[in-house]
Every structure is written in C-alpha cells, then in structure tokens.
Amino acid sequence: MLQHQIIAPAGQTLIEDEIRSALFLHLEKQFSGQRVLVLIPDHTRSMPLPFLFRGLTEALRGVRQLDFMVALGTHAPLSEASLNQLVGISAEERRARCAHIGLLNHAWNDPSALVSIGAIEKDEMRQLAGNDWHASLPERVDIRINQAALAYDHILILGPTFPHEVAGFSGGAKYLFPGISGPDMINATHWLGALAGVLKTIGVKDTPVRAMIHAGAQKVRTPITLLAAVVENQALSGLFIGDYRSAWSAAADLSAQRHIRWCDRSYQRVLSCAQPMYDELWTGAKAMYKLEPVVAPGGELIIYAPHLDTVSRVHGKSIYEIGYHTLPYFVQQWDRFKHVPLGVLAHSTHVRGAGNMENGIEKPNIRVTLASKIPAEDCARLNLGYLDPASIHAADWQNREEEGILYVPHAGEILYRRR
C-alpha cells in the first residue's frame, strides 16, 4: 500500500522541510527497537543522498541498530573515504556522531556473503520471459541475496527512479535484484533485458525483467519499505513511501512524466555528453541507452566522456575479449559466446544498439562512437568508433536540431523518444 506521497509542481522541486517532515511522520516511531538495514545507491545515481542520510538517521534514532548498504550490483566496492563522501560525512563524523551506524558494501562475487532463498525454475522463467524467452536463458536461477537482508527486522530501500535500459524503470525492488544479489540473478535479469531489447524496454513500466525482480523479491521474508524518489536537477520532485510495488509504481508514473523528452524527429548525429559521475563505460554507456531511440537509421551517436579512461574495472577483461555487438551477433553464434557471463553479453548488446545479421555480416542500425581517454586502438578492438575528445567543441553542436544534429549536455538519465 502507498502510505504517503508528495509531488512538486512541474518545473519545481520539493522543499527540504516537507521531505524531512514526511520521513519523521512515517519512520520515526515505526521501527523503534528494531534492527534496520537501508539500501542506497552508489555515486552513479543522482540523488541528494547526504541530505536524505541526515534525515533518515535523525528519524530513525529510536532503532536498535541502523546500517546502510550500497546496493552495488557488480559495481566495484567503495573505499571508506568514498563511503563517507557518498553520504556526506567527514571521517571525524564517522568516528563520532555516526560511530553506531554501519556503512557497508555489497559483495556480489563473495559466496560467503550470500545466501540462497529459493530458485526460479525453467517453467517459471519461460512464463516470466513470455515472448522474449530464448534457449540461452538459464534453466534454473539460484536466487542468492546478501545474507544481511535476512539479519535485520526491516529493510528500507532508498533510491531514485529513472527510465532504465534493463528493467524499464529503475528503483524499487531492483535494489534487491540485482542491487544486493548474487551473480545468477544479475546475469539472468540483464540477459533477459537484452533479449527484449533496449528500444522495447526503456521507459516501459511492465517488463519481463521487472516481473522477474518481483518474483525474487517475493521470496525475501524480511519486511520491506520503499522510499522511492524522483529526482530532477539533483533535488527531489517526488517522494513515495510504501511497499516496494505500490511506491515504485507511483514513482515510475511520475518519472515517465518528468524524465522523458519527446522529439518530433530523428537525428543523424547526436552528441551525448556523459556526466562525470559515470567513471567507466559500464555506467557511462547510459549516454547511449537514453538517446538511441531518436538516432536515425544509419546515424551516429557519440558518447562524449573526456574524463573517462576505463571500460569496466570489474568486467573489462571479458568486454575486451568479445567487443561490442548487436544481439543477433551473439545468439546466432551461441556456442562461441556461451562461456561469457550473461551480464557482460547484455552490456555489450546495449552499448552497440539494435541491428541484425545479413549473410553472416553484422548490420547495426546506428554507428556508436566513443570520445574519451580510451585510445583509438582500444575502440577498434571493442568495435566502436573513435573521436578525439579534444576535437569536440560544444558550441559547434548547439542549436542545430533543424540540421538533424542534437546536443545533449547532461546525458544518462533523461530518455529521448520519438513522438
């Protein structure tokens, strides 16, 4: 049930006192004497987390134990200094005022940190996948989750909701799967999203992946409350408090209104400027996902990220092994690629975009070019185009939409679609 919602008028954001009052009203006495685990995003998601961290820690002063875990999925763990920075506290505050509060990383690849709570069997997987089912999906998915999820009296999920390339919209129970889950759920959900395709998934509320996420969440016995945020200009324009289904659903509806830009035409060239918070292509590729729908067939999308020098700290070796390719390239040569983690294959197809195979030749719908610190020879190996970022001047790209050129200065969260 949706317990509370506050929504700012279009073009405005919520007042901090309004948000703080909502947190106290619904959280201050609800969890007295309980052990509470709060799941939060890492630095690659926009949200005023330091403000919300302060509000939550004040509202939850009556709990017996309070810990925050970064729902990393397969992202690299944060250092102690980075954890402090994420929630907006100093090292001194961590030792004093916040000494009783745990700041934890999820460890997706540490079997000792995970526990199995069930499985998704072959028949259920077929049902969840529907028309997107493919024999490359695993016949059985072990639903493993960070064992901390079972060690508390209550789980709070605090995170933003945006259009998402794998789940349709981010947020909600996605902070469980893949947020604090084991590799089976991470790989299977991402590959199912790849089979469905970004163009058919992103900005869509009811998707096979969301159904799979909720199927896994049903097996978590710890009670869960969701604080779903909708973020604009680094501030909240909406906050929804309730169970992980209803609060997420309401947040996704508002996200669809605030985070989708409708265009009257397609563009031959798009300069999509990845935000500095994306410090590797694994996340910086959101600059591709959110713009692909408005790139004309045969057109070019440039991921402009002059700060970026890494493909992926965790998965880089596998990505360099296979490069970036369309979905048919992999499924039509499955024996050649079936050893690669499904999550890596999914990322590859998402970055390269839609396309097909003709007489054994890959035919992507658009060209994808990378303008970053990743050198030209690496881009060639990865099957991406290369452009020297120093050759790009923003002024040359602005106000040229009538020419079929689109400039997007803060790409990665707002979805662009054809009207």
Side-chain angles (χ1 to χ4, degrees), residues 2-80:
L2 184 61
Q3 299 173 12
H4 187 76
Q5 67 175 26
I6 43 177
I7 302 173
Q12 300 181 32
T13 54
L14 297 173
I15 300 169
E16 288 190 351
D17 285 347
E18 190 176 16
I19 299 169
R20 191 180 291 107
S21 295
L23 296 179
F24 273 83
L25 176 64
H26 293 280
L27 303 178
E28 185 178 21
K29 298 179 180 178
Q30 184 175 348
F31 307 114
S32 296
Q34 295 188 26
R35 296 163 298 171
V36 177
L37 176 67
V38 186
L39 303 181
I40 57 175
D42 69 4
H43 61 287
T44 65
R45 303 295 186 268
S46 289
M47 194 170 70
L49 189 54
F51 162 70
L52 292 168
F53 176 80
R54 289 193 301 274
L56 277 179
T57 55
E58 292 170 4
L60 296 172
R61 280 178 296 189
V63 304
R64 176 154 57 101
Q65 180 181 349
L66 179 60
D67 295 323
F68 289 75
M69 176 176 284
V70 186
L72 289 165
T74 67
H75 295 184
L78 302 183
S79 66
E80 182 173 346

Side-chain angles (χ1 to χ4, degrees), residues 336-360:
R336 180 180 166 193
F337 295 105
K338 63 184 180 182
H339 68 285
V340 180
L342 293 176
V344 172
L345 291 174
H347 166 75
S348 173
T349 69
H350 287 146
V351 174
R352 198 60 191 85
N356 54 61
M357 295 281 283
E358 295 179 8
N359 300 318

Side-chain angles (χ1 to χ4, degrees), residues 297-319:
E300 179 184 29
L301 185 141
I302 300 168
I303 302 173
Y304 177 61
H307 63 282
L308 191 152
D309 61 3
T310 303
V311 171
S312 170
R313 295 177 184 85
V314 175
H315 306 288
K317 182 179 179 181
S318 295
I319 296 169

Side-chain angles (χ1 to χ4, degrees), residues 128-130 132 192 196 201 206-213:
L128 292 169
D132 297 312
L192 177 55
T201 298
D206 297 316
T207 65
V209 172
R210 180 56 62 171
M212 187 176 176
I213 288 170

Side-chain angles (χ1 to χ4, degrees), residues 124-189:
E124 184 179 7
M125 175 60 79
R126 279 181 174 268
Q127 182 180 9
L128 292 169
N131 293 333
D132 297 312
W133 184 86
H134 187 269
S136 56
L137 284 165
E139 293 193 357
R140 183 179 190 275
V141 179
D142 188 7
I143 305 174
R144 295 180 69 79
I145 193 167
N146 195 299
Q147 59 185 352
L150 309 184
Y152 293 79
D153 300 309
H154 206 97
I155 295 172
L156 290 179
I157 298 174
L158 171 65
T161 298
F162 289 100
H164 192 270
E165 62 278 1
V166 174
F169 282 90
S170 63
K174 190 174 177 294
Y175 277 72
L176 301 170
F177 307 103
I180 60 167
S181 72
D184 279 18
M185 280 291 282
I186 292 172
N187 285 321
T189 52

